[in-house]
Amino acid sequence: MKKLLLLAALLTVTITGFAQNVDLRRKIEVTGSAEQEVTPDIIYVAISLKEYMNGKNKVDISTLERQLQKAVTEAGISKEDFMINNISSYNYVIDKKKNPDFLASKQYRIKVRDLNAINTILSKVDDKGIQSTGVDSYDYSKLAELRQTLKIKALQAAREKATYLLNSIGEKLGGAIDIQDIENEPLNQPVYNVRMFKTAMAADMVENVEPIDFKKIKLNYQVRAVFEIVK
């Protein structure tokens, strides 16, 4: 009998404790968002140079590379922002000895803040030695500050949404119970919206070239929030 009474007491305590842990507050859950368009101002451009035959003479990769290095320097780009990405042949010297007609290529990566600077650079490099150009990746220098601003606006939008929804049914909004940041980094996407750069041209024509357009990127951040409904 004593055992049964003890078991009943334990069950009563357990049920009471469970009831105390249940959140009986009335709640509303909403999602707020904020967005802004920005133009990426840090752009990594890939340029590939390749040797070619000019009649019976080969235009060497070192000649093309010197032209590119000089053009980059004259454009005011620092050495740290100009780097070699890849050499097409791992055994470059061996291949040249085995095959005198071997045409080497090199890929470079240039960090710029204005895509139109690339037209000026390419105009000073032998156009026959330019194999390809394109955007490798991009970034926005003030992304951290803008991210913070937009997330604050997203949370404010969530609160505003919850307020007018509750007002429509005669209820009042209380304090925040839970706030969740929805991770989303819109800048980490492949580049599909940048036109390929123009073919190298005479230096005196560069000023008349139509500017290269870089499509704006829309940054959108979301916050999920739970608010209490009060009397």
Side-chain angles (χ1 to χ4, degrees), residues 45-202:
V45 179
I47 297 178
S48 178
L49 301 180
K50 186 172 184 178
E51 295 177 334
Y52 71 94
M53 300 301 298
N54 186 13
K56 294 184 179 181
N57 300 317
K58 180 188 293 185
V59 177
D60 194 80
I61 193 69
S62 60
T63 300
L64 298 171
E65 186 173 47
R66 282 194 299 270
Q67 292 176 1
L68 181 59
Q69 286 177 329
K70 182 180 178 182
V72 167
T73 301
E74 291 176 351
I77 296 172
S78 64
K79 292 181 179 179
E80 293 76 17
D81 294 336
F82 175 60
M83 59 216 84
I84 295 177
N85 246 4
N86 179 46
I87 301 176
S88 63
S89 174
Y90 182 78
N91 298 313
Y92 171 65
V93 177
I94 296 177
D95 284 344
K96 288 203 74 171
K97 289 181 178 179
K98 288 183 178 179
N99 181 11
D101 296 327
F102 172 76
L103 298 177
S105 65
K106 279 187 179 182
Q107 287 75 46
Y108 306 84
R109 197 169 188 243
I110 305 175
K111 179 182 176 181
V112 297
R113 290 185 175 273
D114 180 8
L115 275 179
N116 294 291
I118 297 300
N119 271 340
T120 303
I121 292 171
L122 294 181
S123 70
K124 299 177 181 179
V125 180
D126 187 343
D127 61 337
K128 293 181 180 179
I130 300 175
Q131 188 175 36
S132 64
T133 60
V135 171
D136 202 12
S137 61
Y138 58 93
D139 203 351
Y140 181 62
S141 60
K142 297 180 180 179
L143 180 61
E145 296 92 331
L146 183 58
R147 181 193 297 118
Q148 182 178 354
T149 300
L150 290 178
K151 287 188 177 182
I152 291 173
K153 288 183 178 180
L155 180 56
Q156 292 171 341
R159 182 178 179 83
E160 183 180 348
K161 182 191 292 185
T163 299
Y164 72 68
L165 286 175
L166 291 179
N167 286 342
S168 68
I169 57 173
E171 299 282 2
K172 292 183 180 180
L173 185 71
I177 296 175
D178 184 46
I179 297 173
Q180 294 181 7
D181 181 18
I182 302 175
E183 289 297 329
N184 178 31
E185 199 60 76
L187 273 180
N188 296 332
Q189 330 176 356
V191 179
Y192 294 114
N193 49 23
V194 182
R195 294 184 298 169
M196 292 300 290
F197 301 112
K198 302 171 180 63
T199 307
M201 58 204 74

Side-chain angles (χ1 to χ4, degrees), residues 11-25:
L11 287 173
T12 302
V13 171
T14 302
I15 293 171
T16 302
F18 178 76
Q20 289 176 347
N21 292 329
V22 174
D23 189 351
L24 299 177
R25 291 175 295 181

